[in-house]
Amino acid sequence: MGIEVLNNCIGCSKCVGSCPFEAISMSNKKAVIDLTKCTLCGACVQVCPVKAIVISREMVKRDLSAYRDVWVFVEFADDADIKKQGEIKKVSFELLSKGRFLADKLNQKLCAVVLTDKNRDYEKILSEYGADRVYLLENDEYLPYDTDIYSASIMSLINKYKPSIFLFGATYKGRDLAPRMAANLYVGLTADCTDLNINNDGLLVQSRPAFGGNIMADILSPNSRPQMATVRPNVMKIVKVLPKAVEVIKEDIRIDKNIRRVKVVQRHKEEEKGYTKIENADIIVSGGRGLKSKEKFEILNELAKLLNASVGASRAAVDSGFIDKKHQVGQSGTTVRPRLYLAFGISGAVQHLVGMKNSDVIVAINKDPNAMIFSVSKYAIIGDAHDIAKKLIEKIKSAKAVA
Ligand code: FAD
Ligand code: SF4
Ligand code: SF4
């Protein structure tokens, strides 16, 4: 890639002010670009009235025929929780289930990539979710997680085995690691995909909301490998398969400890005050701006306690200060997939629906019979959100008293 100023420059200076990086100056009535400052952002190209600035993006055609198989990065529960240490996270099973579907369509293998301090028979568990092969990297240095150590190891693996598709959870580790890998490999990465498929040309179709969630974009990476995507937890459905023999490839990758730039000195576990995080909840009682105030929103906590549920919220409820952001369901919050989702006073904007529409049963309560939330709900209750919550609480309490 490069940038140049052509001879037809008329010296109007319009490009100078357009450059956010102060890379353009005028010399002898011609624009001159300082290549050490230029980031090739293209802003100057837009303003030049005579099209005198040209950015060339050379597309090198690479031979991609050696790339095959679908890889899934296997993630483990937070290292801070000793009881859960080494436990495979649910999102990895979700990715494997989708990965199985993709691998079958391509007639290729589904491979799980495991970086761990110690193998705990992971291949057995992973086979239940469709893995054909496990790349097993065992080393004490993989605990705690470290971006540099993980990316260096996975880079060696990719260069040696050349996957066609590589999927990561859109978790804090996946969101840290996947962009690092994509930048190192100079390939694209589609974040927060809501669906994945294979098209007629055998390419990965990476679907995700775009333009604030108002349209769905299908993204392809025809010229680079691996095709990389992250998927949020609770988006893909888990499909168990009959366990079978799994090929385990143990790789002993040399790790340079000196590349670890972060030292974990102490860990603080956030107080969870007895509720299950919404991403893991079976039942969610969720509220929106229709609850009107923080005080009125409180009633949902009472209902949630009775149902042994977690409390969710729309972004409008969070922005209005009714509840903390970690309860937000939706595109810029958390994606959830509970058995039961109760939506009180939530309109059903597409950015909210994208985060909860896969719930098993949705019950919506809204005073507007035309509210969009009813388009995804199994049961619709038209009425005042606060009143209905109150009535439900009374009913549940009296049912419990009888029982
Ligand atoms: P409103 O749209 O104001 O709806 C309130 C509803 O309550 C209405 O349907 C009304 O009929 C009903 N109502 C009013 N009074 C009562 C009553 N007394 N009883 C019963 N019903 C009543 N939103 C999210 O939720 N999650 C996200 O992650 C998210 N991310 C976003 C990302 C982007 C880039 C953008 C642009 C927007 C995002 N939004 C998100 C915002 C989203 O577009 C909506 O603005 C938001 O979901 C609206 O929240 P709400 O339904 O609570 O409020
Ligand atoms: Fe400046 Fe962007 Fe033009 Fe480079 S491409 S000179 S950074 S405006
Ligand atoms: Fe030259 Fe175009 Fe810059 Fe004007 S805007 S100085 S014509 S390169």
Side-chain angles (χ1 to χ4, degrees), residues 3 18-21 23-24 33 37-45 55:
I3 185 165
S18 74
C19 177
F21 303 97
I24 311 179
I33 296 177
K37 291 183 180 169
C38 173
T39 63
L40 299 172
C41 73
C44 56
V45 177
I55 294 180

Side-chain angles (χ1 to χ4, degrees), residues 212-213 287-292 313-317 325 328-334 344-352 365-368 371 383-386:
R289 188 153 37 200
L291 262 301
K292 307 282 194 239
S314 70
R315 177 155 141 186
K325 161 98 179 145
Q328 185 182 316
V329 173
Q331 188 184 318
S332 49
T334 303
F344 287 87
I346 295 176
S347 59
V350 63
Q351 297 89 354
H352 188 82
I365 300 97
N366 200 303
K367 67 172 190 183
D368 173 8
D384 179 77
H386 195 267

Side-chain angles (χ1 to χ4, degrees), residues 264-332:
V264 179
V265 182
Q266 206 176 11
R267 281 176 176 277
H268 291 282
K269 197 158 168 37
E270 201 183 317
E271 206 49 61
E272 282 181 20
K273 291 191 193 131
Y275 65 80
T276 310
K277 283 184 179 173
I278 51 171
E279 55 264 49
N280 303 324
D282 260 353
I283 304 177
I284 296 177
V285 175
S286 203
R289 188 153 37 200
L291 262 301
K292 307 282 194 239
S293 68
K294 190 173 176 170
E295 291 66 39
K296 286 196 157 183
F297 195 95
E298 271 295 314
I299 197 162
L300 300 188
N301 288 324
E302 193 182 345
L303 179 59
K305 226 176 241 167
L306 281 171
L307 292 170
N308 203 11
S310 296
V311 178
S314 70
R315 177 155 141 186
V318 170
D319 291 348
S320 308
F322 298 174
I323 192 162
D324 189 83
K325 161 98 179 145
K326 65 180 171 231
H327 296 265
Q328 185 182 316
V329 173
Q331 188 184 318
S332 49

